[in-house]
Amino acid sequence: MSLFLATLLPGLFLAALGALLAWNDPRVVSTAKALPRSQRGAWLFFGGGALWFLFRLSQLGEADLIFFQNPWPVMLAFGALAVLAFVYAPDFLAVRGLCILALLVAEPLLHAAYMEWTHPPRLLMVTAVYVGLALALYLAAAPFRLRDFFEWLFKRPARPRALGAFLIAYGLATAAAAFTY
């Protein structure tokens, strides 16, 4: 992925997310509040994250495989764990899936910005990615905190609008930074 795309796409994503929050439509509020325990969200986000992770495991090289000759035993073990998570730990699986996706998305974005010292505006994207990584690690350990955050956020109409305005501004600044390379 080029540095241009690695900066443009997160910027546009943040601006779109901010626009949804600033709009503050009742459908957005109800969808956000239902997301942490959503069964559809679990299938979409956790299932997508598990499939992406299994794909990444299938790409492991010989140096990464210590005990096995090929990645199939590792893939089967993690695939079984993903299926068992749907059966035995279905609560907040959508939040954990979002965390998995955030961790997997961060790698190509940070890889594109690695050693690009001549482009300081890349730090807008890198900062957003590291904040997302910190949130993903925190929410993976305590996924109920996302539910609590949404309850706090949507208690007053000014809060989502303020957060939305900040995300729009930061996202547009990040997207604009992509055109300076």
Side-chain angles (χ1 to χ4, degrees), residues 12 41 44 46 60 68 84-85 102 108 112-113 123 125 129 135 161 164-165:
L12 294 177
L44 178 68
F46 192 82
L60 288 177
F68 304 106
L84 290 173
L123 294 176
M125 178 270 294
V129 170
L135 284 173
R161 288 195 176 111

Side-chain angles (χ1 to χ4, degrees), residues 59-124:
Q59 304 301 311
L60 288 177
E62 204 174 304
D64 298 321
L65 299 168
I66 298 170
F67 299 110
F68 304 106
Q69 297 298 319
N70 59 34
W72 285 105
V74 179
M75 290 174 59
L76 289 174
F78 277 104
L81 285 175
V83 170
L84 290 173
F86 278 104
V87 175
Y88 292 108
D91 286 344
F92 299 108
L93 213 51
V95 178
R96 288 192 171 106
L98 282 172
C99 295
I100 291 168
L101 290 173
L103 293 172
L104 289 170
V105 163
E107 190 266 334
L109 297 177
L110 293 176
H111 182 70
Y114 183 66
M115 299 291 286
E116 294 288 340
W117 310 113
T118 58
H119 304 294
R122 82 191 187 295
L123 294 176
L124 286 170

